[in-house]
mmCIF file with all atom_site columns, all heavy atoms in Angstrom:
data_model
loop_
_atom_site.group_PDB
_atom_site.id
_atom_site.type_symbol
_atom_site.label_atom_id
_atom_site.label_alt_id
_atom_site.label_comp_id
_atom_site.label_asym_id
_atom_site.label_entity_id
_atom_site.label_seq_id
_atom_site.pdbx_PDB_ins_code
_atom_site.Cartn_x
_atom_site.Cartn_y
_atom_site.Cartn_z
_atom_site.occupancy
_atom_site.B_iso_or_equiv
_atom_site.pdbx_formal_charge
_atom_site.auth_seq_id
_atom_site.auth_comp_id
_atom_site.auth_asym_id
_atom_site.auth_atom_id
_atom_site.pdbx_PDB_model_num
ATOM 1   N N   . HIS A 1 80 ? 77.225 -44.954 37.864 1.00 0.00 ? 169 HIS A N   1
ATOM 2   C CA  . HIS A 1 80 ? 76.863 -46.139 38.627 1.00 0.00 ? 169 HIS A CA  1
ATOM 3   C C   . HIS A 1 80 ? 76.781 -45.928 40.140 1.00 0.00 ? 169 HIS A C   1
ATOM 4   O O   . HIS A 1 80 ? 76.394 -46.849 40.856 1.00 0.00 ? 169 HIS A O   1
ATOM 5   C CB  . HIS A 1 80 ? 77.832 -47.279 38.323 1.00 0.00 ? 169 HIS A CB  1
ATOM 6   C CG  . HIS A 1 80 ? 77.793 -47.700 36.885 1.00 0.00 ? 169 HIS A CG  1
ATOM 7   N ND1 . HIS A 1 80 ? 76.713 -48.353 36.337 1.00 0.00 ? 169 HIS A ND1 1
ATOM 8   C CD2 . HIS A 1 80 ? 78.681 -47.521 35.877 1.00 0.00 ? 169 HIS A CD2 1
ATOM 9   C CE1 . HIS A 1 80 ? 76.949 -48.578 35.053 1.00 0.00 ? 169 HIS A CE1 1
ATOM 10  N NE2 . HIS A 1 80 ? 78.129 -48.083 34.748 1.00 0.00 ? 169 HIS A NE2 1
ATOM 11  N N   . ALA A 1 81 ? 77.143 -44.757 40.614 1.00 0.00 ? 170 ALA A N   1
ATOM 12  C CA  . ALA A 1 81 ? 77.046 -44.498 42.057 1.00 0.00 ? 170 ALA A CA  1
ATOM 13  C C   . ALA A 1 81 ? 75.592 -44.615 42.495 1.00 0.00 ? 170 ALA A C   1
ATOM 14  O O   . ALA A 1 81 ? 74.683 -44.211 41.772 1.00 0.00 ? 170 ALA A O   1
ATOM 15  C CB  . ALA A 1 81 ? 77.575 -43.113 42.398 1.00 0.00 ? 170 ALA A CB  1
ATOM 16  N N   . GLN A 1 82 ? 75.383 -45.172 43.637 1.00 0.00 ? 171 GLN A N   1
ATOM 17  C CA  . GLN A 1 82 ? 74.019 -45.301 44.147 1.00 0.00 ? 171 GLN A CA  1
ATOM 18  C C   . GLN A 1 82 ? 73.705 -44.044 44.961 1.00 0.00 ? 171 GLN A C   1
ATOM 19  O O   . GLN A 1 82 ? 73.762 -44.044 46.191 1.00 0.00 ? 171 GLN A O   1
ATOM 20  C CB  . GLN A 1 82 ? 73.893 -46.584 44.963 1.00 0.00 ? 171 GLN A CB  1
ATOM 21  C CG  . GLN A 1 82 ? 74.107 -47.804 44.097 1.00 0.00 ? 171 GLN A CG  1
ATOM 22  C CD  . GLN A 1 82 ? 73.890 -49.104 44.821 1.00 0.00 ? 171 GLN A CD  1
ATOM 23  O OE1 . GLN A 1 82 ? 73.440 -49.133 45.969 1.00 0.00 ? 171 GLN A OE1 1
ATOM 24  N NE2 . GLN A 1 82 ? 74.190 -50.196 44.163 1.00 0.00 ? 171 GLN A NE2 1
ATOM 25  N N   . TRP A 1 83 ? 73.379 -42.985 44.240 1.00 0.00 ? 172 TRP A N   1
ATOM 26  C CA  . TRP A 1 83 ? 73.169 -41.673 44.842 1.00 0.00 ? 172 TRP A CA  1
ATOM 27  C C   . TRP A 1 83 ? 72.072 -41.701 45.893 1.00 0.00 ? 172 TRP A C   1
ATOM 28  O O   . TRP A 1 83 ? 72.132 -40.967 46.872 1.00 0.00 ? 172 TRP A O   1
ATOM 29  C CB  . TRP A 1 83 ? 72.879 -40.631 43.755 1.00 0.00 ? 172 TRP A CB  1
ATOM 30  C CG  . TRP A 1 83 ? 74.026 -40.465 42.811 1.00 0.00 ? 172 TRP A CG  1
ATOM 31  C CD1 . TRP A 1 83 ? 74.095 -40.879 41.513 1.00 0.00 ? 172 TRP A CD1 1
ATOM 32  C CD2 . TRP A 1 83 ? 75.293 -39.867 43.094 1.00 0.00 ? 172 TRP A CD2 1
ATOM 33  N NE1 . TRP A 1 83 ? 75.321 -40.569 40.981 1.00 0.00 ? 172 TRP A NE1 1
ATOM 34  C CE2 . TRP A 1 83 ? 76.076 -39.943 41.925 1.00 0.00 ? 172 TRP A CE2 1
ATOM 35  C CE3 . TRP A 1 83 ? 75.848 -39.264 44.229 1.00 0.00 ? 172 TRP A CE3 1
ATOM 36  C CZ2 . TRP A 1 83 ? 77.375 -39.442 41.848 1.00 0.00 ? 172 TRP A CZ2 1
ATOM 37  C CZ3 . TRP A 1 83 ? 77.142 -38.758 44.151 1.00 0.00 ? 172 TRP A CZ3 1
ATOM 38  C CH2 . TRP A 1 83 ? 77.888 -38.855 42.982 1.00 0.00 ? 172 TRP A CH2 1
ATOM 39  N N   . SER A 1 84 ? 71.096 -42.566 45.719 1.00 0.00 ? 173 SER A N   1
ATOM 40  C CA  . SER A 1 84 ? 70.020 -42.649 46.706 1.00 0.00 ? 173 SER A CA  1
ATOM 41  C C   . SER A 1 84 ? 70.549 -43.140 48.056 1.00 0.00 ? 173 SER A C   1
ATOM 42  O O   . SER A 1 84 ? 70.017 -42.776 49.102 1.00 0.00 ? 173 SER A O   1
ATOM 43  C CB  . SER A 1 84 ? 68.898 -43.557 46.216 1.00 0.00 ? 173 SER A CB  1
ATOM 44  O OG  . SER A 1 84 ? 69.377 -44.886 46.025 1.00 0.00 ? 173 SER A OG  1
ATOM 45  N N   . PHE A 1 85 ? 71.607 -43.940 48.044 1.00 0.00 ? 174 PHE A N   1
ATOM 46  C CA  . PHE A 1 85 ? 72.214 -44.397 49.297 1.00 0.00 ? 174 PHE A CA  1
ATOM 47  C C   . PHE A 1 85 ? 72.899 -43.241 50.021 1.00 0.00 ? 174 PHE A C   1
ATOM 48  O O   . PHE A 1 85 ? 72.841 -43.143 51.244 1.00 0.00 ? 174 PHE A O   1
ATOM 49  C CB  . PHE A 1 85 ? 73.219 -45.519 49.058 1.00 0.00 ? 174 PHE A CB  1
ATOM 50  C CG  . PHE A 1 85 ? 72.606 -46.850 48.711 1.00 0.00 ? 174 PHE A CG  1
ATOM 51  C CD1 . PHE A 1 85 ? 71.241 -47.011 48.503 1.00 0.00 ? 174 PHE A CD1 1
ATOM 52  C CD2 . PHE A 1 85 ? 73.411 -47.962 48.589 1.00 0.00 ? 174 PHE A CD2 1
ATOM 53  C CE1 . PHE A 1 85 ? 70.693 -48.238 48.179 1.00 0.00 ? 174 PHE A CE1 1
ATOM 54  C CE2 . PHE A 1 85 ? 72.867 -49.205 48.268 1.00 0.00 ? 174 PHE A CE2 1
ATOM 55  C CZ  . PHE A 1 85 ? 71.513 -49.339 48.060 1.00 0.00 ? 174 PHE A CZ  1
ATOM 56  N N   . PHE A 1 86 ? 73.558 -42.372 49.254 1.00 0.00 ? 175 PHE A N   1
ATOM 57  C CA  . PHE A 1 86 ? 74.170 -41.186 49.858 1.00 0.00 ? 175 PHE A CA  1
ATOM 58  C C   . PHE A 1 86 ? 73.083 -40.318 50.493 1.00 0.00 ? 175 PHE A C   1
ATOM 59  O O   . PHE A 1 86 ? 73.240 -39.820 51.609 1.00 0.00 ? 175 PHE A O   1
ATOM 60  C CB  . PHE A 1 86 ? 74.942 -40.362 48.825 1.00 0.00 ? 175 PHE A CB  1
ATOM 61  C CG  . PHE A 1 86 ? 76.233 -40.974 48.380 1.00 0.00 ? 175 PHE A CG  1
ATOM 62  C CD1 . PHE A 1 86 ? 76.377 -41.454 47.088 1.00 0.00 ? 175 PHE A CD1 1
ATOM 63  C CD2 . PHE A 1 86 ? 77.320 -41.057 49.236 1.00 0.00 ? 175 PHE A CD2 1
ATOM 64  C CE1 . PHE A 1 86 ? 77.570 -42.001 46.661 1.00 0.00 ? 175 PHE A CE1 1
ATOM 65  C CE2 . PHE A 1 86 ? 78.522 -41.601 48.822 1.00 0.00 ? 175 PHE A CE2 1
ATOM 66  C CZ  . PHE A 1 86 ? 78.646 -42.075 47.526 1.00 0.00 ? 175 PHE A CZ  1
ATOM 67  N N   . HIS A 1 87 ? 71.983 -40.141 49.763 1.00 0.00 ? 176 HIS A N   1
ATOM 68  C CA  . HIS A 1 87 ? 70.865 -39.341 50.285 1.00 0.00 ? 176 HIS A CA  1
ATOM 69  C C   . HIS A 1 87 ? 70.315 -39.969 51.571 1.00 0.00 ? 176 HIS A C   1
ATOM 70  O O   . HIS A 1 87 ? 70.070 -39.272 52.553 1.00 0.00 ? 176 HIS A O   1
ATOM 71  C CB  . HIS A 1 87 ? 69.767 -39.212 49.233 1.00 0.00 ? 176 HIS A CB  1
ATOM 72  C CG  . HIS A 1 87 ? 68.581 -38.447 49.698 1.00 0.00 ? 176 HIS A CG  1
ATOM 73  N ND1 . HIS A 1 87 ? 68.566 -37.071 49.770 1.00 0.00 ? 176 HIS A ND1 1
ATOM 74  C CD2 . HIS A 1 87 ? 67.376 -38.854 50.148 1.00 0.00 ? 176 HIS A CD2 1
ATOM 75  C CE1 . HIS A 1 87 ? 67.402 -36.670 50.233 1.00 0.00 ? 176 HIS A CE1 1
ATOM 76  N NE2 . HIS A 1 87 ? 66.658 -37.737 50.470 1.00 0.00 ? 176 HIS A NE2 1
ATOM 77  N N   . LYS A 1 88 ? 70.136 -41.287 51.565 1.00 0.00 ? 177 LYS A N   1
ATOM 78  C CA  . LYS A 1 88 ? 69.637 -41.984 52.750 1.00 0.00 ? 177 LYS A CA  1
ATOM 79  C C   . LYS A 1 88 ? 70.600 -41.816 53.926 1.00 0.00 ? 177 LYS A C   1
ATOM 80  O O   . LYS A 1 88 ? 70.171 -41.620 55.064 1.00 0.00 ? 177 LYS A O   1
ATOM 81  C CB  . LYS A 1 88 ? 69.416 -43.464 52.451 1.00 0.00 ? 177 LYS A CB  1
ATOM 82  C CG  . LYS A 1 88 ? 68.809 -44.233 53.620 1.00 0.00 ? 177 LYS A CG  1
ATOM 83  C CD  . LYS A 1 88 ? 68.537 -45.675 53.247 1.00 0.00 ? 177 LYS A CD  1
ATOM 84  C CE  . LYS A 1 88 ? 67.918 -46.500 54.347 1.00 0.00 ? 177 LYS A CE  1
ATOM 85  N NZ  . LYS A 1 88 ? 68.147 -46.146 55.713 1.00 0.00 ? 177 LYS A NZ  1
ATOM 86  N N   . LEU A 1 89 ? 71.891 -41.869 53.665 1.00 0.00 ? 178 LEU A N   1
ATOM 87  C CA  . LEU A 1 89 ? 72.887 -41.658 54.714 1.00 0.00 ? 178 LEU A CA  1
ATOM 88  C C   . LEU A 1 89 ? 72.718 -40.284 55.355 1.00 0.00 ? 178 LEU A C   1
ATOM 89  O O   . LEU A 1 89 ? 72.731 -40.151 56.584 1.00 0.00 ? 178 LEU A O   1
ATOM 90  C CB  . LEU A 1 89 ? 74.301 -41.809 54.153 1.00 0.00 ? 178 LEU A CB  1
ATOM 91  C CG  . LEU A 1 89 ? 75.446 -41.503 55.109 1.00 0.00 ? 178 LEU A CG  1
ATOM 92  C CD1 . LEU A 1 89 ? 75.518 -42.547 56.224 1.00 0.00 ? 178 LEU A CD1 1
ATOM 93  C CD2 . LEU A 1 89 ? 76.762 -41.447 54.356 1.00 0.00 ? 178 LEU A CD2 1
ATOM 94  N N   . LEU A 1 90 ? 72.532 -39.255 54.534 1.00 0.00 ? 179 LEU A N   1
ATOM 95  C CA  . LEU A 1 90 ? 72.344 -37.902 55.052 1.00 0.00 ? 179 LEU A CA  1
ATOM 96  C C   . LEU A 1 90 ? 71.054 -37.785 55.850 1.00 0.00 ? 179 LEU A C   1
ATOM 97  O O   . LEU A 1 90 ? 71.015 -37.109 56.880 1.00 0.00 ? 179 LEU A O   1
ATOM 98  C CB  . LEU A 1 90 ? 72.360 -36.888 53.907 1.00 0.00 ? 179 LEU A CB  1
ATOM 99  C CG  . LEU A 1 90 ? 73.670 -36.799 53.118 1.00 0.00 ? 179 LEU A CG  1
ATOM 100 C CD1 . LEU A 1 90 ? 73.493 -35.885 51.913 1.00 0.00 ? 179 LEU A CD1 1
ATOM 101 C CD2 . LEU A 1 90 ? 74.817 -36.344 53.987 1.00 0.00 ? 179 LEU A CD2 1
ATOM 102 N N   . MET A 1 91 ? 70.017 -38.458 55.391 1.00 0.00 ? 180 MET A N   1
ATOM 103 C CA  . MET A 1 91 ? 68.747 -38.453 56.122 1.00 0.00 ? 180 MET A CA  1
ATOM 104 C C   . MET A 1 91 ? 68.890 -39.209 57.442 1.00 0.00 ? 180 MET A C   1
ATOM 105 O O   . MET A 1 91 ? 68.463 -38.717 58.491 1.00 0.00 ? 180 MET A O   1
ATOM 106 C CB  . MET A 1 91 ? 67.631 -39.085 55.271 1.00 0.00 ? 180 MET A CB  1
ATOM 107 C CG  . MET A 1 91 ? 67.269 -38.315 54.015 1.00 0.00 ? 180 MET A CG  1
ATOM 108 S SD  . MET A 1 91 ? 66.483 -36.720 54.317 1.00 0.00 ? 180 MET A SD  1
ATOM 109 C CE  . MET A 1 91 ? 64.883 -37.241 54.930 1.00 0.00 ? 180 MET A CE  1
ATOM 110 N N   . ASP A 1 92 ? 69.486 -40.397 57.397 1.00 0.00 ? 181 ASP A N   1
ATOM 111 C CA  . ASP A 1 92 ? 69.658 -41.206 58.609 1.00 0.00 ? 181 ASP A CA  1
ATOM 112 C C   . ASP A 1 92 ? 70.533 -40.502 59.643 1.00 0.00 ? 181 ASP A C   1
ATOM 113 O O   . ASP A 1 92 ? 70.328 -40.665 60.850 1.00 0.00 ? 181 ASP A O   1
ATOM 114 C CB  . ASP A 1 92 ? 70.257 -42.572 58.271 1.00 0.00 ? 181 ASP A CB  1
ATOM 115 C CG  . ASP A 1 92 ? 69.300 -43.481 57.523 1.00 0.00 ? 181 ASP A CG  1
ATOM 116 O OD1 . ASP A 1 92 ? 68.093 -43.154 57.436 1.00 0.00 ? 181 ASP A OD1 1
ATOM 117 O OD2 . ASP A 1 92 ? 69.755 -44.524 57.011 1.00 0.00 ? 181 ASP A OD2 1
ATOM 118 N N   . ALA A 1 93 ? 71.508 -39.732 59.177 1.00 0.00 ? 182 ALA A N   1
ATOM 119 C CA  . ALA A 1 93 ? 72.386 -38.991 60.086 1.00 0.00 ? 182 ALA A CA  1
ATOM 120 C C   . ALA A 1 93 ? 71.712 -37.740 60.641 1.00 0.00 ? 182 ALA A C   1
ATOM 121 O O   . ALA A 1 93 ? 72.258 -37.079 61.525 1.00 0.00 ? 182 ALA A O   1
ATOM 122 C CB  . ALA A 1 93 ? 73.680 -38.598 59.360 1.00 0.00 ? 182 ALA A CB  1
ATOM 123 N N   . GLY A 1 94 ? 70.547 -37.415 60.109 1.00 0.00 ? 183 GLY A N   1
ATOM 124 C CA  . GLY A 1 94 ? 69.834 -36.224 60.570 1.00 0.00 ? 183 GLY A CA  1
ATOM 125 C C   . GLY A 1 94 ? 70.391 -34.940 59.997 1.00 0.00 ? 183 GLY A C   1
ATOM 126 O O   . GLY A 1 94 ? 70.056 -33.851 60.462 1.00 0.00 ? 183 GLY A O   1
ATOM 127 N N   . LEU A 1 95 ? 71.231 -35.037 58.966 1.00 0.00 ? 184 LEU A N   1
ATOM 128 C CA  . LEU A 1 95 ? 71.772 -33.831 58.327 1.00 0.00 ? 184 LEU A CA  1
ATOM 129 C C   . LEU A 1 95 ? 70.725 -33.203 57.411 1.00 0.00 ? 184 LEU A C   1
ATOM 130 O O   . LEU A 1 95 ? 70.706 -31.990 57.222 1.00 0.00 ? 184 LEU A O   1
ATOM 131 C CB  . LEU A 1 95 ? 73.039 -34.156 57.545 1.00 0.00 ? 184 LEU A CB  1
ATOM 132 C CG  . LEU A 1 95 ? 74.211 -34.627 58.408 1.00 0.00 ? 184 LEU A CG  1
ATOM 133 C CD1 . LEU A 1 95 ? 75.323 -35.185 57.541 1.00 0.00 ? 184 LEU A CD1 1
ATOM 134 C CD2 . LEU A 1 95 ? 74.714 -33.496 59.283 1.00 0.00 ? 184 LEU A CD2 1
#
Side-chain angles (χ1 to χ4, degrees):
H169 298 290
Q171 296 184 7
W172 298 108
S173 62
F174 287 6
F175 287 111
H176 178 78
K177 184 177 181 333
L178 175 68
L179 297 173
M180 295 292 289
D181 290 349
L184 295 169

